[in-house]
Amino acid sequence: MVTFLPTRPGRLADVPSFDRAIGGAESNVACALAAAGHAVRWVSRVGADGFGDHLVETVASYGVDVSSVGRDPVRPTGVYFRTAGDRATEAHEVAYYRAGSAASAMSTATVDLAAARAGRILHLSGITAALSEGCLGLLRELTAPAGGRPVVSFDVNYRAGLWGLGDGSHVLLELARRADIVFVGEDEAEEAWGVTGGPSAVRELLPEPEVLVVKQGGVGATAFVSGAGAWGLVAPTRRQPQIKYSPAPLSGRFPAAPLTATQLRAGVPQGGTGGRWGSPRSSEAEGGGGTLPAPVSENPALAPTPPAFEPAPAVDVVAPVGAGDAFAAGFLSGTLRGLPVGQTLRLGHLFAAAALTTPADLAPPPARDTTDRLTALDDSGWERLRLGPGWTQADAAEEEVRTP
């Protein structure tokens, strides 16, 4: 989408003018990865309008291949406006205008599937799944177990407001369980799935992904890795249980009440009109909508691995928007480079810090020599790190030598 950022604080009703920028979960990740030196293709759809031109040209300016971006001659490019305030405050306002947009009309019929599958990693977002029936079908197709598929990265990105009257929690769980690398915030895991108890509880719910990254806000992030193959992007030995899904239409597939963690682990919803979500032991013959893999405690092949935790550096936050996308880009950059998990988590933190210290949704990441120097700090040096506005342009961050 095209993003309009206010030129001064205040209510949307009072702000007289806005600066134009771009935003969008997947395009943010694509731009950050390309700016970090990786070969990246963005596959999407925009309108055949001036805003579409701006989006394509701006994304391309980061070095992203935009040759697979379709132009919709009928539907417009989505736009949104937001206030300058922190998204966590009640005063923050966001006005989205993407209903009926070109991107919301994406489907398996309108997207170049071969182009989407051609990379070493395919990154997807739960936001796209919420936009329309066609978008959800597209994500189900791209996450379906299949030989030779790329490593699938999935950012849960749970946004309750996008799912309307329904609850998309079990849909996002389905998609996450079919991915190889999954990003989810500890807070959104609680909101979407009722999971409390920290990263280990999230891993218990999601034992299938080769890599699970649980973001813990300003505290840090924890990664669970159950296969070394994903780090070098040598195709891991993917567990491909015989899962059959019979999803109901978008308007009726949600449970009537939020699922508890116990119900999600068991695979059984409460109520709802979208058909039966099969438990791990149900069969198609019983009339279920398919089976989900057994919890980790019941599947020896998915035994838990020791988690890796890296604290987040202290950051003087300008705006929090886009930090999650930047973290995913940093982590994927480290994965593409084959870095150890600790350095990869730190790289995610540094990319996120670049976004946190700028007002826009998207910020170029720091130079590779800077990130290599900072990720190599010893634990004491990393704990002293404090990053503020302009740190990505500094030759040597003064904050490195600051002490509490």
Side-chain angles (χ1 to χ4, degrees):
M1 293 178 293
V2 170
T3 307
F4 288 93
L5 308 175
T7 54
R8 66 172 176 81
R11 302 184 310 155
L12 287 178
D14 300 328
V15 174
S17 60
F18 297 80
D19 291 327
R20 186 181 61 178
I22 67 169
E26 298 91 342
S27 58
N28 286 345
V29 173
C31 290
L33 278 168
H38 299 284
V40 184
R41 173 186 288 124
W42 181 45
V43 181
S44 187
R45 285 179 69 79
V46 300
D49 49 32
F51 286 150
D53 293 341
H54 173 65
L55 267 176
V56 173
E57 292 167 6
T58 304
V59 172
S61 72
Y62 282 84
V64 177
D65 178 352
V66 295
S67 60
S68 297
V69 177
R71 306 301 292 264
D72 193 314
V74 177
R75 300 173 181 86
T77 302
V79 301
Y80 84 95
F81 298 77
R82 66 174 174 85
T83 55
D86 189 330
R87 181 174 283 180
T89 69
E90 293 183 359
H92 183 76
E93 298 174 75
V94 179
Y96 289 103
Y97 298 93
R98 62 179 164 195
S101 68
S104 70
M106 288 190 298
S107 69
T108 55
T110 60
V111 167
D112 187 342
L113 298 179
R117 291 170 170 145
R120 299 165 72 193
I121 293 178
L122 169 60
H123 181 71
L124 307 168
S125 166
I127 291 176
T128 299
L131 298 183
S132 68
E133 184 76 26
C135 285
L136 176 57
L138 174 63
L139 262 66
R140 280 187 165 130
E141 172 67 25
L142 293 173
T143 58
R149 80 174 191 186
V151 172
V152 173
S153 167
F154 180 69
D155 194 336
V156 172
N157 267 328
Y158 178 64
R159 303 288 187 270
L162 286 179
W163 294 92
L165 298 177
D167 182 350
S169 57
H170 77 289
V171 176
L172 296 176
L173 182 63
E174 169 200 328
L175 295 172
R177 284 179 160 176
R178 297 163 70 166
D180 301 302
I181 302 172
V182 172
F183 301 95
V184 63
E186 189 175 27
D187 55 347
E188 66 180 338
E190 179 177 0
E191 182 183 1
W193 303 317
V195 177
T196 58
S200 294
V202 182
R203 182 54 161 174
E204 184 180 353
L205 178 66
L206 284 170
E208 297 84 3
E210 296 282 350
V211 180
L212 171 67
V213 180
V214 181
K215 298 173 290 183
Q216 297 162 267
V219 174
T222 299
F224 298 84
V225 182
S226 60
W231 295 109
L233 291 184
V234 176
T237 303
R238 293 190 179 85
R239 298 168 293 276
Q240 295 184 9
Q242 297 302 308
I243 307 174
K244 292 186 178 180
Y245 295 97
S246 300
L250 186 67
S251 60
R253 69 175 188 275
F254 306 113
L259 307 180
T260 66
T262 300
Q263 289 165 337
L264 283 164
R265 281 191 285 271
V268 181
Q270 282 186 327
T273 59
R276 181 167 175 267
W277 179 27
S279 73
R281 297 178 183 81
S282 69
S283 67
E284 193 172 19
E286 295 172 325
T291 61
L292 292 174
V296 64
S297 58
E298 300 178 19
N299 193 336
L302 303 180
T305 56
F309 171 79
E310 283 293 331
V315 178
D316 298 327
V317 177
V318 173
V321 183
D325 302 329
F327 181 94
F331 191 90
L332 293 177
S333 178
T335 300
L336 286 160
R337 295 174 60 191
L339 298 180
V341 63
Q343 283 184 266
T344 302
L345 284 168
R346 286 187 175 186
L347 202 56
H349 288 317
L350 292 174
F351 276 49
L356 288 168
T357 52
T358 58
D361 292 22
L362 177 62
R368 181 170 291 192
D369 59 349
T370 299
T371 58
D372 286 349
R373 176 165 48 82
L374 296 182
T375 57
L377 290 172
D378 59 21
D379 290 345
S380 177
W382 181 259
E383 290 172 1
R384 292 197 305 270
L385 194 62
R386 186 179 187 92
L387 305 170
W391 75 272
T392 58
Q393 286 76 48
D395 292 333
E398 178 185 344
E399 293 83 354
E400 289 179 42
V401 296
R402 288 187 193 173
T403 55

